[in-house]
Amino acid sequence: MEGRAGRGKEANADIFDNNGTILSSFHAGDGIEHVQTTAAGEIWIGYFDEGVFGGGDLGQSGLVCLNEKGEPLLQYWSEIVEPNALPTIDDCYAINVFAEDEVWLDYYSSFPLVRLRDKKLAHAWLDWPAKPVRSFAVDGDRLLMTPAYRREGPLYLAKLQDSSIEEIQALDSQGKPLHFDRSFGRGPLLCFALLEIPENQRLFTIDLRTI
């Protein structure tokens, strides 16, 4: 998937089979920041600010769910924000496709935490955690979150039940603060990638259930 698509409708997403053969291609919007899929073939896409403010209908939604043909199954702006009077997405900072029927997200600029069930609003925490994060893992009422503007910890361990947040430091195998270029959350797993040094690229995973 190509994150930038200009102002046209050119295809920038490809669907492959298990042999690497392209089955279909379609336009997935401009300014793509996050992509997560489900076993059923649904594609969740979050967009950064240039897609939200300068892209087409998909990007302007901030978050969409597409089927394998690129057809929208959910557009966040029209189906979630407007009917529920939620803050709009200026930049989708983090998503976690927790299950086939459950998706979490956090976004700029007011940083609400939003949980969707069956593509409908299940809950929105509008004034909490109010911290800019780039990814998070979910385990029950707990979240493990990476800060948006730092490339190492400390991480945020948050509890929804009492709105508490504590900082914890993630260490690598040598006991040094974990340094990363990219991170993403999927269910209770928080994954970190160090990519900037080709000969020393690494992937780390923290399972929130073990904390």
Side-chain angles (χ1 to χ4, degrees):
M1 185 170 289
E2 174 61 48
R4 303 310 307 265
R7 296 183 179 275
K9 294 292 186 181
E10 63 268 26
N12 62 332
D14 300 316
I15 303 294
F16 296 85
D17 64 15
N18 293 333
N19 297 317
T21 302
I22 295 180
L23 300 177
S24 64
S25 300
F26 55 84
H27 177 74
D30 181 42
I32 295 171
E33 179 74 16
H34 304 281
V35 179
Q36 293 192 15
T37 63
T38 71
E42 295 182 348
I43 306 163
W44 289 85
I45 302 174
Y47 300 86
F48 61 84
D49 53 357
E50 292 184 30
V52 173
F53 293 106
D57 292 342
L58 294 177
Q60 289 172 3
S61 293
L63 175 79
V64 298
C65 180
L66 308 178
N67 65 16
E68 62 218 17
K69 297 179 181 179
E71 300 165 336
L73 303 175
L74 172 75
Q75 292 182 272
Y76 189 76
W77 163 256
S78 61
E79 298 176 57
I80 302 296
V81 168
E82 285 193 311
N84 296 288
L86 293 185
T88 60
I89 294 179
D90 295 329
D91 190 320
C92 187
Y93 268 36
I95 66 172
N96 184 324
V97 179
F98 185 85
E100 292 286 334
D101 60 349
E102 184 172 348
V103 175
W104 297 65
L105 65 151
D106 185 84
Y107 53 87
Y108 185 87
S109 61
S110 56
F111 295 104
L113 179 66
V114 178
R115 179 164 61 97
L116 305 178
R117 290 292 303 271
D118 296 319
K119 301 181 183 65
K120 296 180 175 59
L121 178 65
H123 198 100
W125 293 264
L126 300 182
D127 55 358
W128 186 91
K131 285 184 178 292
V133 298
R134 283 295 182 186
S135 58
F136 57 87
V138 181
D139 176 37
D141 73 334
R142 300 188 308 148
L143 293 91
L144 185 62
M145 315 170 86
T146 62
Y149 307 123
R150 296 199 300 267
R151 291 164 55 136
E152 58 184 38
L155 308 178
Y156 304 129
L157 180 60
K159 295 181 181 179
L160 296 172
Q161 187 173 17
D162 58 8
S163 298
S164 65
I165 297 178
E166 64 175 299
E167 294 188 350
I168 63 172
Q169 182 65 64
L171 305 177
D172 63 19
S173 58
Q174 298 178 341
K176 298 179 180 180
L178 186 63
H179 184 78
F180 53 90
D181 304 310
R182 299 286 187 272
S183 64
F184 67 92
R186 189 66 188 256
L189 303 180
L190 193 56
C191 303
F192 308 87
L194 179 60
L195 303 174
E196 64 180 9
I197 305 175
E199 64 273 15
N200 194 32
Q201 293 182 347
R202 291 177 289 173
L203 178 67
F204 303 89
T205 301
I206 298 176
D207 189 334
L208 178 54
R209 294 169 295 188
T210 65
I211 299 176

